[in-house]
Amino acid sequence: MHHPVPYDVIIAGAGPVGLLLACELRLAGLSVLVLEQAGTPDSQLKRLPFGMRGLSVPTIEAFDRRGLLDDIAMPQQKPSTGKDSQEKKEPRRQAGHFAGIAFDHDNIDSARWPYRLPGPAGTNMAAEMEHIEIALAARAGAMGVEIRRGLGVESLDQSDDGVTVRAGNETFHARWLVGCDGGRSTVRKAAGFEFTGTDPEFTGYSVEIEMADPDTLGQGRIYTPTGMYFQSRPGTIAMVEFDGGAFHRSQPVTPEHVQAVLRRISGTDVTVTALKLATTWTDRAYQATAYRKGRVLLAGDAAHIHSPLGGQGLNLGLGDAMNLGWKLAATIRGDAPAGLLDSYFGERHPVGAQVLDWSRAQVALMRPSPNSRALEAIIRDLIATRDGATYFAERVWGISVRYDLGRSHPLTGRSAPDFELADGTRLGERLRNGRGLFLDFDASPALQALASRWSGRMTYIASNARERLGLSALLVRPDGFAAWATDGEPDMEGAAQAVSRWFGKPE
Ligand SMILES: Cc1cc2nc3c(=O)[nH]c(=O)nc-3n(C[C@H](O)[C@H](O)[C@H](O)COP(=O)(O)OP(=O)(O)OC[C@H]3O[C@@H](n4cnc5c(N)ncnc54)[C@H](O)[C@@H]3O)c2cc1C
């Protein structure tokens, strides 16, 4: 079958990244087709306990900025309102971990994050993978995104003005194709992207088992001379065996195999009586060396893979989608400034590379060797300090993300604070239509005149804010990142340059 009408964009993969990107593109008015290989989104691995995903600050903010936060939150996990980490005073609350080494809430000095304001988006939140996908698919469908399941992209051809995709017996055309088809991305391979990185040291297992002697194993995360196992609740176990990743995908996971590995790692004679669920993974850490080839782009796991150790892959991929959506939309509409689409790779590749290194550093700490145990002792000392806990919190929660957009103001390149405006609305709400914002706290006539020249592409708001953090005006991109800011009298030339850099020539 042949579909003669080209779509603006075809997205391969209805995982969380493909679905969020589809919503972003549709919000900008484009026609979007999502092709998903799996016939049904159902999978036990997307449900608790294995489907549990920790969401970072940029992800929570992104969902808030699109009005999706309530849909994504698990009923018992509604995001807290009010101030984040330092508000509640309970002794030694674990705020996160690095290779299993916990850092405490009470040690974190959030005064070092001068541009964070309290809002519905707290610092971390747990969500269920299946629930995230259902919420995003529902939003995409309601907005008019076409989703075809059971149709995996098999091959593609691209020309100067479009891409032809074959899936099943059908052929589809689009002006652009984005591969959001996961770690083993067909799009990445078919379009010839280079994918480089480091090979695995271990096979990781996530299993749900029954044991004849459940008390044999310890609870929590336990390092042993031969590996590590983590029993989060009785019978739910994650473990890593440093076999060079040899077992992963080489054979089916049987109860006998799980028992043998568990015995080797734990040094016990534990007996597995039933294997209810099992999946394996490795610490292979690879990243595409480009995120765009002609009219084909990559986002999410298709662009980068690493071990699930610090739980950052989903957050990284959703950040790609938020960064790419508005840039690709402007490119297709024809009003994108030069270099806008290339800034997707320029901004997101370094963030991805950092996450890969974060996962590699954890592997180095987990190796069953005296060297790693010695390193672990040092990290334990450092993470227990105020500087250490604050540093780890910044990295784990994603607060440290800053795009290199020039250093004219300490806020440039960072996620914009969730200002509460005079009418009670918050910045997060004002971004829900997907347009950029020019916030002018002092209602300067000169800035208003400047912003009016781009009024079709961004919203100018002259309003004071409840807490303005010393700022007098700022420019916020559609993805919520600050592109320009000033504390005092605005430098009109700098402001005009920043607006045209991100929103193109004046209308
Ligand atoms: C055990 C485990 C725990 C994790 N914990 C966390 C965590 O706490 N926090 C976190 O941020 N991340 C975590 N991750 C990582 C996270 O799940 C992934 O990074 C995330 O799912 C990537 O989303 P994606 O949309 O890019 O890819 P995927 O979720 O893999 O979705 C890709 C989609 O594309 C489809 N597809 C594949 N091939 C094709 C094709 N040829 N054509 C069309 N469709 C295709 C697939 O069926 C799938 O639906 C964890 C991962 C694992 C394995």
Side-chain angles (χ1 to χ4, degrees):
M1 229 161 87
H2 188 76
H3 293 259
V5 184
Y7 293 87
D8 288 320
V9 183
I10 293 176
I11 294 174
V17 176
L19 290 170
L20 180 62
L21 180 64
C23 292
E24 286 298 288
L25 295 170
R26 190 70 206 120
L27 188 61
L30 303 186
S31 60
V32 186
L33 170 68
V34 179
L35 295 174
E36 164 58 49
Q37 181 167 275
T40 135
D42 284 352
S43 158
Q44 232 187 321
L45 293 172
K46 294 181 188 170
R47 285 181 215 126
L48 301 181
F50 297 147
M52 172 72 87
R53 296 288 181 274
L55 306 185
S56 66
V57 169
T59 301
I60 301 168
E61 287 177 340
F63 285 147
D64 179 44
R65 289 165 180 170
R66 296 300 183 255
L68 281 159
L69 201 50
D70 283 343
D71 299 347
I72 300 282
M74 294 193 294
Q76 70 276 30
Q77 282 269 350
K78 291 282 182 211
S80 60
T81 43
K83 246 187 152 45
D84 18 275
S85 53
Q86 75 276 50
E87 188 166 74
K88 293 184 218 122
K89 284 280 172 224
E90 294 159 23
R92 287 190 61 81
R93 285 178 308 130
Q94 179 177 332
H97 73 87
F98 181 72
I101 308 170
F103 53 91
D104 292 337
H105 263 291
D106 295 341
N107 249 344
I108 297 167
D109 183 5
S110 51
R112 292 191 209 169
W113 307 327
Y115 293 110
R116 278 190 57 73
L117 282 170
T123 45
N124 51 3
M125 180 177 134
E128 187 181 23
M129 185 76 163
E130 178 174 64
H131 196 72
I132 298 174
E133 284 192 1
I134 288 173
L136 289 173
R139 169 64 66 91
M143 293 173 81
V145 170
E146 207 180 320
I147 305 177
R148 303 270 316 264
R149 297 186 188 272
L151 269 184
V153 171
E154 287 152 23
S155 63
L156 58 98
D157 284 308
Q158 61 165 316
S159 66
D160 286 347
D161 42 39
V163 187
T164 302
V165 167
R166 272 167 300 277
N169 298 325
E170 303 191 45
T171 303
F172 302 91
H173 301 285
R175 299 168 73 184
W176 292 80
L177 168 68
V178 189
C180 300
D181 48 345
R184 282 174 285 165
S185 170
T186 302
V187 171
R188 185 184 70 224
K189 292 170 195 161
F193 282 91
E194 193 187 354
F195 201 47
T196 61
T198 49
D199 288 320
E201 295 191 25
F202 62 64
T203 299
Y205 300 79
S206 295
V207 295
E208 247 191 301
I209 55 172
E210 280 169 15
M211 292 167 276
D213 38 10
D215 295 335
T216 311
L217 297 182
Q219 288 288 324
R221 190 177 304 251
I222 295 170
Y223 286 99
T224 72
T226 46
M228 183 280 292
Y229 71 95
F230 175 49
Q231 184 163 220
S232 49
R233 59 180 199 202
T236 302
I237 295 172
M239 56 186 177
V240 302
E241 182 168 51
F242 280 76
D243 64 350
F247 182 82
H248 177 63
R249 292 212 180 100
S250 65
Q251 304 151 52
V253 189
T254 60
E256 295 72 32
H257 178 76
V258 169
Q259 174 174 295
V261 175
L262 199 46
R263 284 184 174 186
R264 277 199 295 275
I265 294 176
S266 67
T268 68
D269 57 358
V270 63
T271 300
V272 174
T273 52
L275 178 62
K276 296 195 279 188
L277 197 59
T279 181
T280 64
W281 32 277
T282 73
D283 56 317
R284 192 165 185 260
Y286 272 61
Q287 189 175 18
T289 57
Y291 285 7
R292 176 186 158 203
K293 268 189 172 248
R295 290 177 168 270
V296 181
L297 289 140
L298 300 178
D301 278 14
H304 37 68
I305 54 162
H306 59 87
S307 78
L309 284 175
Q312 302 209 3
L314 171 66
N315 293 304
L316 183 58
L318 294 172
D320 292 346
M322 282 299 279
N323 192 282
L324 175 59
W326 65 281
K327 294 176 180 176
L328 182 55
T331 305
I332 292 174
R333 273 197 316 264
D335 55 43
L340 184 68
L341 193 54
D342 292 336
S343 74
Y344 165 57
F345 177 77
E347 292 173 9
R348 295 304 298 174
H349 186 273
V351 177
Q354 273 207 338
V355 168
L356 263 62
D357 274 348
W358 193 250
S359 74
R360 290 183 182 115
Q362 294 184 79
V363 175
L365 263 182
M366 291 172 60
R367 280 183 201 125
S369 78
N371 301 14
S372 293
R373 297 288 63 76
L375 189 56
E376 182 198 335
I378 294 170
I379 300 288
R380 275 191 196 283
D381 285 347
L382 294 177
I383 215 169
T385 65
R386 205 158 171 73
D387 282 342
T390 308
Y391 170 81
F392 280 92
E394 259 176 39
R395 295 288 305 267
V396 169
W397 291 346
I399 290 172
S400 59
V401 171
R402 183 177 189 189
Y403 300 139
D404 184 8
L405 310 186
R407 302 269 152 170
S408 57
H409 188 279
L411 184 57
T412 343
R414 292 186 190 280
S415 179
D418 197 24
F419 293 108
E420 185 183 326
L421 303 177
D423 66 359
T425 58
R426 293 179 301 102
L427 176 111
E429 297 165 74
R430 302 301 288 257
L431 281 166
R432 287 185 188 162
N433 58 14
R435 283 159 56 96
L437 291 179
F438 202 115
L439 282 184
D440 181 2
F441 296 140
D442 289 329
S444 140
L447 283 180
Q448 176 166 22
L450 183 142
S452 69
R453 294 159 62 206
W454 282 270
S455 61
R457 280 172 244 153
M458 63 175 197
T459 308
Y460 169 80
I461 301 175
S463 164
N464 207 344
R466 199 153 93 151
E467 169 55 79
R468 48 197 261 189
L469 304 173
L471 290 152
S472 53
L474 77 155
L475 173 66
V476 185
R477 308 191 314 190
D479 59 359
F481 279 74
W484 173 87
T486 182
D487 292 339
E489 276 296 308
D491 149 28
M492 295 306 295
E493 199 178 318
Q497 271 172 8
V499 182
S500 40
R501 176 172 174 196
W502 298 108
F503 295 94
K505 294 196 187 76
E507 287 138 20

